Amino acid sequence: MRILVVGKGGREHALVRALAESPGNPELFCFPGSDAIFELAKPVAADGLESLIEWMMAHAIDLCVAGEESYLVKGEGLANLCVRHGIPCWGPPKESAQLEASKEFAKEFLVRNGIPTARATATESLAAAVAAIGGKYPTVLKFDGLAAGKGVAVCPDETSAMVFLDEVFTRQRFGPGRVLVEDCLTGPEVSIFAAIVDDRYLIFTPARDYKRALDGDHGPNTGGMGAVASRQLVSKELLERIEEEIVVPTVAGLNREGLPYRGFLYFGLMLTPDGPQVIEYNCRFGDPECQAVMPLVNGDLAGFCLAGANGELRGDLISFDDGWSVCVILASAGYPENSRSGDVIRGLENTGDFRVYHAGTRKNADGIWETNGGRVLAVVSGAAALPEAVAKAHAAADLISFPGLQRRHDIGILHFD
Ligand code: AMP
Ligand code: GLY
């Protein structure tokens, strides 16, 4: 089987590794990929979506796996183009990927389908947003488009709201677009991942990510500084409630509204005092949750994704470990405001009962790994019990260093102690 994975980050490194470990020795390719991914998958000579499709046709690719979201909504859409050319694709078409690309589309879908979510108003000017806030704080402001995880602001007061609205409407930091003004919910967050194949689904191991830069959930929001994954993260009763009130009506809504879906769907939930509510959908696996979840997946992920892309949900091909997995992110100097590249990474030669996925690294001219982006590495380890998984993951993270390294020391501890 010849599989092409689209993306270049830590999530894609974890996906490529899980696919490489599938039985049957699939031949792997990755676009755009990274130096670390190219140790497991071959690079692809393409410079955009159209040439990528041509390349897949010319190289008899059996399955395209969409790791990251951007290509799903670019041009005609990665999955749409794959379908048109007869290439099975694990990832949804452009019209369905609006669930992630447009916060307004997602909110209307949630409301139409009676799925619990925060009340929100769409606004198209600074004045309209201020009116919708109506002096009620805290409030949540969401830019209605892809903004690389930076388009949401939880604002405790008017000053912070005005800073965000000024960035979006006056300075157009994310380009033109509307802003959703949303009620602020409270409660712990959990990420639920379902593999969806038309009208069927399979729920993967739940996870929780740590979005703030600093220990104690302080500092600015980031793409994610770590994650914990386990079946035990949510009780059986709670998972049943999430399934009944959120997953089932989402899948039914997609089918009723003619939105085809074959791929991972990420439900970002908040467990409020009134029950679980959806704060966002993403049309892909989470990053860094994927790095925490993949080591818990056993069996034939490649066969599972291929069958799914062809319309068959083959839950019998994979199973999930019951234990805990902890992922610690090592980020570069300056992250998340900016990031410094070119710092030499030491300690990668260490091996043990842990995995290291590369997110932002490159091999320099001397063949030495150096930093190349904000989030640099994900160090992951697991155990039957959470405290042991935490100790192992942090001890493994201690083995790696580079100038300016930033990491959290409370991943797997905060929220669980
Ligand atoms: P999103 O990109 O929609 O996941 O939002 C990023 C983060 O903002 C979420 O993980 C939450 O921590 C927070 N957030 C989003 N929506 C709400 C809400 N309605 N109430 C409180 N916090 C929210
Ligand atoms: N971990 C959050 C995300 O993947 O969007």
Side-chain angles (χ1 to χ4, degrees):
M1 195 197 321
R2 293 158 73 83
I3 308 176
L4 182 137
V5 175
V6 177
K8 61 178 164 49
R11 168 183 48 213
E12 287 75 24
H13 195 203
L15 279 174
V16 163
R17 178 140 174 208
L19 293 168
E21 288 169 356
S22 296
N25 265 328
E27 192 176 358
L28 294 166
F29 301 87
C30 190
F31 172 83
S34 68
D35 288 345
I37 292 175
F38 294 145
E39 296 195 332
L40 298 166
K42 298 190 183 96
V44 169
D47 59 5
L49 200 48
E50 299 287 338
S51 69
L52 180 63
I53 298 287
E54 272 169 35
W55 188 94
M56 283 195 262
M57 297 292 292
H59 292 79
I61 291 297
D62 298 300
L63 171 67
C64 173
V65 174
E68 68 153 85
E69 64 278 13
S70 67
Y71 293 92
L72 295 172
V73 293
K74 248 185 213 150
E76 198 180 316
L78 174 67
N80 307 64
L81 279 165
C82 282
V83 167
R84 189 148 69 76
H85 290 87
I87 306 165
C89 181
W90 185 243
K94 188 173 182 173
E95 57 274 26
S96 309
Q98 294 308 311
L99 280 184
E100 171 166 6
S102 165
K103 303 266 185 206
E104 205 175 325
F105 179 92
K107 187 60 75 177
E108 287 170 359
F109 175 91
L110 287 160
V111 171
R112 260 197 316 275
N113 288 287
I115 301 165
T117 188
R119 213 167 43 96
T121 311
T123 63
E124 50 198 8
S125 69
L126 199 147
V130 169
I133 295 168
K136 220 177 114 213
Y137 293 97
T139 189
V140 180
L141 304 176
K142 299 186 172 183
F143 175 71
D144 183 38
L146 291 181
K150 308 228 165 64
V152 175
V154 180
C155 302
D157 51 32
E158 190 179 341
T159 312
S160 52
M162 291 313 291
V163 168
F164 183 82
L165 292 174
D166 183 55
E167 272 185 9
V168 172
F169 285 122
T170 317
R171 289 195 269 153
Q172 305 220 328
R173 175 172 174 200
F174 309 116
R178 317 212 301 178
V179 167
L180 281 190
V181 176
E182 188 165 299
D183 284 354
C184 189
L185 305 174
T186 54
E189 291 180 43
V190 63
S191 309
I192 298 291
F193 305 97
I196 298 186
V197 179
D198 306 331
D199 57 351
R200 306 184 60 203
Y201 63 87
L202 176 75
I203 296 178
F204 274 50
T205 309
R208 177 174 291 173
D209 71 348
Y210 289 74
K211 290 200 170 72
R212 300 297 191 114
L214 306 174
D215 280 3
D217 275 348
H218 297 299
N221 260 319
T222 70
M225 292 298 287
V228 171
S230 174
R231 272 286 194 225
Q232 300 165 56
L233 202 56
V234 290
S235 68
K236 192 166 163 286
E237 294 71 31
L238 179 58
L239 193 61
E240 276 169 12
R241 185 167 179 193
I242 290 169
E243 200 170 339
E244 194 178 307
E245 295 180 8
I246 291 169
V247 180
V248 169
T250 297
V251 175
L254 288 168
N255 282 276
R256 193 169 41 248
E257 299 189 9
L259 295 169
Y261 209 106
R262 293 178 183 171
F264 292 119
L265 180 59
Y266 166 137
F267 300 76
L269 307 182
M270 195 165 269
L271 307 175
T272 75
D274 301 326
Q277 303 216 21
V278 176
I279 46 181
E280 65 165 341
Y281 288 117
N282 292 312
C283 295
R284 47 158 177 89
F285 226 99
D287 188 338
E289 292 98 322
C290 187
Q291 293 89 309
V293 170
M294 282 305 137
L296 298 171
V297 179
N298 302 308
D300 185 1
L301 186 71
F304 176 84
C305 294
L306 178 65
N310 283 320
E312 236 192 311
L313 184 74
R314 289 287 308 276
D316 57 303
L317 292 179
I318 53 173
S319 63
F320 304 97
D321 283 346
D322 268 337
W324 292 81
S325 176
V326 174
C327 163
V328 178
I329 295 290
L330 311 184
S332 67
Y335 184 72
E337 284 77 18
N338 48 57
S339 63
R340 194 168 77 198
S341 290
D343 289 309
V344 167
I345 305 169
R346 297 190 194 286
L348 282 173
E349 69 286 357
N350 288 293
T351 54
D353 184 17
F354 60 84
R355 292 166 184 240
V356 179
Y357 299 117
H358 290 230
T361 68
R362 65 180 175 222
K363 255 190 181 161
N364 68 19
D366 301 323
I368 294 170
W369 290 106
E370 58 182 34
T371 62
N372 185 31
R375 287 185 293 172
V376 177
L377 297 162
V379 183
V380 186
S381 194
L386 178 61
E388 199 191 332
V390 168
K392 283 167 70 178
H394 286 279
D398 288 341
L399 300 173
I400 299 174
S401 65
F402 51 83
L405 183 153
Q406 301 187 67
R407 75 181 242 224
R408 283 183 60 164
H409 289 84
D410 61 355
I411 306 297
I413 300 167
L414 186 75
H415 306 307
F416 291 97
D417 46 8

